Amino acid sequence: MKALVIGATGSIGNVVATTLESRGHDVVRASRRGETSVDVTDPASIAALFAQVTDVDAVVVAVGSVPFKPLAELTRDDYLAGFTGKTLAQIDVVRQALAHLNDGGSITVTSGVLAREPIATGAAAAMANGALESFVITAAAEAPRGIRINAVSPDVLENSPGYHASFPGHRPVTDDEVGTAYVRAVEGVITGRILPV
């Protein structure tokens, strides 16, 4: 299977790409800065990526930028930045991938624990994650040509200790747990699912 992993230099994307490669898949690693480059906030850049990378069976998107501030300090622009940087960016990939994926392919986006568990300063991230998860449920029902759409929703990552203090009481998830969830989304038969890790 040929898989395109967008955000492959990040903490999650690298785990996904490495896991899929270990399972024998042909993985194309794309990121903002890399041999295969893409800026997911720019629809023209996404289009150029799909013009360059063809014959794809799976697309995984592990990107997203959201502001973290106390609720009373979040502005409309902060919410817009969170929606644009995490939600709309991944939706744009889904939108364009539908026309380029092989029949029966899969698209997996990345939300996060803040869609279901609150932390201080997490309101904008919760909004972005929740919107993305709601989109997946309905978009999967309408996807053409047997294409499956899912979201993986990880908790704070064990491989990112700098974030642990912001998630009190959370059990950081391992690379193996994260990789397994993406394998289920990419290789399995499920669609329209949110896979919490």
Side-chain angles (χ1 to χ4, degrees):
M1 176 185 303
K2 184 174 180 181
L4 171 62
V5 178
I6 299 173
T9 58
S11 298
I12 294 174
N14 183 54
V15 168
V16 175
T18 301
T19 300
L20 293 177
E21 286 168 345
S22 75
R23 297 178 63 80
H25 299 298
D26 175 16
V27 176
V28 177
R29 293 174 178 244
S31 61
R32 190 179 292 255
R33 292 174 219 70
E35 187 176 327
T36 304
S37 65
V38 63
D39 176 358
V40 294
T41 64
D42 178 3
S45 180
I46 298 169
L49 174 67
F50 282 115
Q52 175 187 355
V53 181
T54 59
D55 195 30
V56 176
D57 301 297
V59 174
V60 175
V61 192
V63 299
S65 175
V66 294
F68 286 86
K69 293 182 182 177
L71 179 66
E73 296 176 15
L74 283 166
T75 66
R76 183 181 187 278
D77 285 343
D78 289 326
Y79 287 110
L80 186 58
F83 181 76
T84 302
K86 182 152 192 179
T87 312
L88 189 56
Q90 295 191 72
I91 289 172
D92 273 340
V93 173
V94 172
R95 184 176 59 80
Q96 295 196 45
L98 289 173
H100 296 279
L101 269 172
N102 292 333
D103 290 358
S106 72
I107 305 169
T108 307
V109 297
T110 303
S111 60
V113 68
L114 300 183
R116 60 188 185 277
E117 295 290 340
I119 64 164
T121 73
M127 177 232 25
N129 289 336
L132 187 60
E133 291 184 4
S134 294
F135 166 79
V136 163
I137 293 166
T138 297
E142 295 187 52
R145 300 183 293 106
I147 293 172
R148 298 177 301 102
I149 305 174
N150 295 290
V152 173
S153 180
D155 206 322
V156 65
L157 305 175
E158 189 177 80
N159 71 19
S160 301
Y163 292 98
H164 293 180
S166 298
F167 291 81
H170 288 242
R171 181 187 65 80
V173 295
T174 67
D175 289 354
D176 284 345
E177 290 172 303
V178 171
T180 297
Y182 284 91
V183 166
R184 184 176 173 205
V186 169
E187 295 182 13
V189 297
I190 59 173
T191 192
R193 298 283 299 278
I194 313 304
L195 304 178
V197 183

